[in-house]
Amino acid sequence: MKKVFLFLIIGTNWIQAQQIKLSEANKNYDNYAYIKAIDIYEKVVKKGYKSAELFEKLANSYYLNGEYKKAAEYFESLFSIGKPSNNEAYFKYSHCLKTLNKYREADEMMSLYINVISKRSEKDKLKNYLNEIKENSKNYIIKPTTISTHFSDYSPVYYNNCIYFTSAMDSASVVRLNHDWTGQNYTDIYIAKINKDTSLTYVGNFSKKINTKYNESSAIFTKDGKTIYFTRNNFLNGKKGKSSNKSTFVKIYKATLQDGEWQNITELPFNTNEASFAHPTLSPDEKTLYFASDMNGTHGHSDIYSVTINTDGSLGTPVNLGKTINTNGRESFPSIDSNGNLYFASDGHLGLGGLDLFVAKIKPDGSFEKPINLGDKMNTPFDDFGITFIDLSTGFFSSNREGGKGSDDIYFFKEIRCTKKISGILYDSTTNEPLNSTEISLLDNNRNEFTIITTDENGFYEFSIDCNNLYFLKIQKKDFESVEIELDSKVEKEQFNLFLNKEKIPLEVGTDLGKIF
């Protein structure tokens, strides 16, 4: 009897000891100190302690640090002994399973999640999304860059033949602290020069004025190079701001270049202490700023917003880009190409796993079309995000895909485009005479006009097009009927003679109306 009693005491003390450790781990977890929480949780697991809460928080801690395979291990443990406290566990586990190439099981988990949030249309998408991604996939050359380190390197931004990128590398230029979320150094902004062969040469720390002992990231410059927008922890003039629950989030700041130094560092007026504001990017005309935030009113964990930049430099009220772009998941790292199209990372739109890169083409009214996944070369089952362009087919992006040097690395990409020339003669269908000085517009599949040419004195026209896209030719000439012709570039034929009908046919005495009709 004494032995049994002693065993009960020892067993009770053991459980109490583990619960004390869990209490400390949970405190770290609630304060976003996930690396510290993981360390304690793992020790408790090794002692043989099991609970649904333990496995769920350990899985979430790994998930939020992009370690999806480790997260999958503990989500599996969670589901083997109970149910999660939050239905998002199904969503997260789905992404983790994709890193293990278990897409069928991943879709089953996503289906359970969708059942809970009651989105029938999303469940229908599960049937075809992988085929759609495959169809949309383009051919890319993707290469690692030499500036990647064993630390987290991400969010490259192209400006003036250089890449300005974010890194947690061990730099002696400023005092460095460890980030409790990741366990790595706080990040700074660094510079790398782009060589003629598109390789990168590390230059150094960007600016001691901009970089502090806390996090800086995601710099974007105005075209004249005199203004910078960037992300930083809530830290200005030596003071660290905190939210009502004592958390320090990130804000977007602005600085101007004066006498070769970055001065007048100010936070943007829509920032608050209660949410994160990050990853600014500018429209081609620099009249709109896009950014990511989890402020009140977001559809998910973070959404993409736009805000108008007025002529006097003041800012309007941020506007959520809506449910076409934003989901119940994470939308972040927006960037804009020279045509105004929006690129961003998301785990809410169906993809290959983790954060995937998407593009939403801009409409004439400034809104955006339905996002398209960039495909299975740019995206992997891991996190792919933070894209920037040298031109419309070449640039850099960041990823924590397998085979890299560290947790996040920077990669070069180049789209391999097949192009061919389409040409021909435009004729008057009645006289068979060539029609010169006639305007022909090349339209894309959405009827967006992006190239206009005029026929020469012989009625000759010529366009360069992508091999695998659908186009339309729109022809307009005074006294002739306007016409729109579908042009399938997959057809091998490259010579297309075109004919226009007269809008009105003059009638004379004796004209044979039967032939006219």
Side-chain angles (χ1 to χ4, degrees):
M1 186 69 178
K2 289 181 179 179
K3 290 182 180 180
V4 173
F5 184 67
L6 182 62
F7 176 78
L8 290 174
I9 292 175
I10 293 172
T12 302
N13 289 340
W14 178 84
I15 293 174
Q16 289 177 343
Q18 304 316 309
Q19 289 175 340
I20 290 171
K21 292 178 181 178
L22 285 174
S23 178
E24 181 184 354
N26 290 340
K27 185 177 180 180
N28 286 320
Y29 180 91
D30 293 338
N31 290 326
Y32 311 106
Y34 296 117
I35 294 300
K36 292 181 179 179
I38 286 172
D39 183 57
I40 300 173
Y41 287 140
E42 287 282 13
K43 289 176 181 177
V44 172
V45 169
K46 287 180 180 178
K47 291 289 185 180
Y49 188 91
K50 297 179 181 181
S51 76
E53 180 187 13
L54 166 61
F55 290 142
E56 185 172 1
K57 289 184 175 179
L58 187 49
N60 283 337
S61 298
Y62 278 119
Y63 181 89
L64 292 169
N65 273 287
E67 295 189 49
Y68 297 128
K69 288 186 176 181
K70 288 292 293 184
E73 176 184 337
Y74 287 107
F75 277 125
E76 182 179 2
S77 298
L78 164 64
F79 287 110
S80 70
I81 66 171
K83 289 186 176 181
S85 65
N86 193 310
N87 290 313
E88 287 192 0
Y90 298 107
F91 175 90
K92 294 173 182 175
Y93 190 27
S94 172
H95 283 280
C96 295
L97 285 167
K98 290 178 179 180
T99 65
L100 302 174
N101 203 31
K102 296 181 178 180
Y103 279 86
R104 181 180 60 81
E105 295 93 330
D107 289 348
E108 289 174 357
M109 283 292 131
M110 187 62 72
S111 181
L112 290 172
Y113 171 72
I114 292 170
N115 282 341
V116 172
I117 63 174
S118 301
K119 283 197 171 183
R120 177 70 189 182
S121 60
E122 291 298 314
K123 194 168 184 178
D124 290 339
K125 293 177 184 177
L126 282 171
K127 301 174 183 177
N128 299 311
Y129 79 98
L130 289 175
N131 288 332
E132 289 181 4
I133 291 173
K134 187 174 182 179
E135 290 174 2
N136 290 331
S137 296
K138 297 180 179 179
N139 190 17
Y140 290 95
I141 294 174
I142 295 176
K143 299 186 295 185
T145 62
T146 56
I147 61 170
S148 294
T149 68
H150 294 292
F151 298 92
S152 181
D153 310 291
Y154 63 95
S155 200
V157 173
Y158 173 74
Y159 177 72
N160 197 23
N161 202 43
C162 288
I163 289 296
Y164 294 79
F165 66 102
T166 303
S167 178
M169 72 172 72
D170 191 8
S171 169
S173 60
V174 292
V175 177
R176 306 311 300 274
L177 301 174
N178 283 340
H179 196 319
D180 289 339
W181 184 312
T182 64
Q184 295 195 27
N185 301 319
Y186 279 89
T187 59
D188 277 351
I189 301 167
Y190 294 87
I191 310 173
K193 182 181 178 182
I194 303 175
N195 302 313
K196 289 183 178 180
D197 61 356
T198 67
S199 64
L200 298 177
T201 299
Y202 174 74
V203 175
N205 193 287
F206 167 53
S207 167
K208 292 182 179 180
K209 292 281 188 178
I210 299 295
N211 290 323
T212 66
K213 59 184 178 180
Y214 295 106
N215 283 315
E216 283 78 30
S217 68
S218 306
I220 190 76
F221 298 86
T222 53
K223 291 176 182 177
D224 61 10
K226 295 181 180 179
T227 302
I228 182 176
Y229 298 89
F230 64 98
T231 307
R232 177 194 282 176
N233 275 121
N234 189 351
F235 182 75
L236 186 62
N237 298 325
K239 296 181 180 180
K240 188 177 180 182
K242 293 187 177 182
S243 67
S244 55
N245 67 356
K246 307 302 181 183
S247 297
T248 298
F249 298 113
V250 293
K251 293 183 174 182
I252 299 174
Y253 293 83
K254 175 183 177 181
T256 54
L257 189 64
Q258 297 179 359
D259 300 322
E261 291 285 345
W262 290 103
Q263 307 288 346
N264 303 321
I265 300 175
T266 57
E267 65 170 275
L268 299 191
F270 53 76
N271 288 317
T272 72
N273 291 339
E274 305 301 321
S276 288
F277 302 81
H279 314 307
T281 190
L282 289 166
S283 61
D285 60 9
E286 300 185 351
K287 294 180 180 180
T288 305
L289 180 78
Y290 298 89
F291 64 95
S293 177
D294 60 358
M295 71 172 91
N296 285 335
T298 58
H299 298 286
H301 289 285
S302 62
D303 284 2
I304 297 174
Y305 289 78
S306 68
V307 62
T308 299
I309 302 175
N310 300 316
T311 54
D312 63 357
S314 63
L315 296 173
T317 301
V319 176
N320 190 295
L321 292 191
K323 292 186 178 180
T324 300
I325 302 299
N326 296 313
T327 69
N328 291 334
R330 295 176 292 174
E331 279 70 48
S332 193
F333 296 96
S335 63
I336 303 291
D337 69 15
S338 58
N339 287 334
N341 299 316
L342 171 66
Y343 291 78
F344 63 97
S346 172
D347 64 3
H349 294 281
L350 292 173
L352 297 179
L355 292 170
D356 273 20
L357 284 163
F358 291 82
V359 59
K361 294 185 178 180
I362 193 166
K363 298 179 182 178
D365 63 0
S367 63
F368 293 99
E369 297 176 2
K370 175 185 172 182
I372 298 171
N373 190 292
L374 289 193
D376 58 12
K377 295 289 192 303
M378 295 293 286
N379 291 315
T380 66
F382 298 87
D383 289 332
D384 305 283
F385 61 101
I387 193 169
T388 190
F389 292 87
I390 299 173
D391 55 44
L392 291 175
S393 63
T394 308
F396 298 87
F397 70 103
S398 38
S399 175
N400 67 350
R401 62 186 59 194
E402 292 183 318
K405 287 184 179 179
S407 56
D408 299 305
D409 294 312
I410 295 174
Y411 292 83
F412 166 83
F413 75 89
K414 182 177 180 61
E415 181 185 346
I416 306 302
R417 292 183 173 179
C418 170
T419 60
K420 65 180 181 180
K421 291 184 177 180
I422 299 295
S423 62
I425 307 294
L426 176 63
Y427 292 99
D428 181 328
S429 64
T430 304
T431 65
N432 285 329
E433 293 292 326
L435 294 174
N436 61 11
S437 303
T438 304
E439 187 177 275
I440 303 180
S441 301
L442 184 65
L443 313 179
D444 64 17
N445 191 32
N446 297 308
R447 302 301 201 281
N448 295 318
E449 186 178 82
F450 60 87
T451 306
I452 303 174
I453 60 100
T454 302
T455 57
D456 66 13
E457 64 274 13
N458 298 313
F460 178 79
Y461 75 92
E462 184 177 78
F463 289 102
S464 290
I465 61 173
D466 287 342
C467 295
N468 298 313
N469 291 337
L470 182 66
Y471 296 92
F472 294 88
L473 292 179
K474 183 178 180 180
I475 311 168
Q476 295 174 306
K477 187 175 180 64
K478 186 179 179 181
D479 298 331
F480 286 82
E481 295 177 359
S482 296
V483 66
E484 193 173 286
I485 301 169
E486 182 178 308
L487 185 65
D488 188 349
S489 61
K490 294 180 181 180
V491 177
E492 293 184 3
K493 183 179 178 182
E494 297 182 4
Q495 295 289 326
F496 292 90
N497 291 334
L498 307 173
F499 297 85
L500 279 188
N501 296 323
K502 282 281 181 63
E503 194 169 42
K504 294 179 181 179
I505 300 176
L507 298 181
E508 299 177 358
V509 176
T511 300
D512 187 337
L513 294 181
K515 291 183 178 179
I516 295 295
F517 291 133

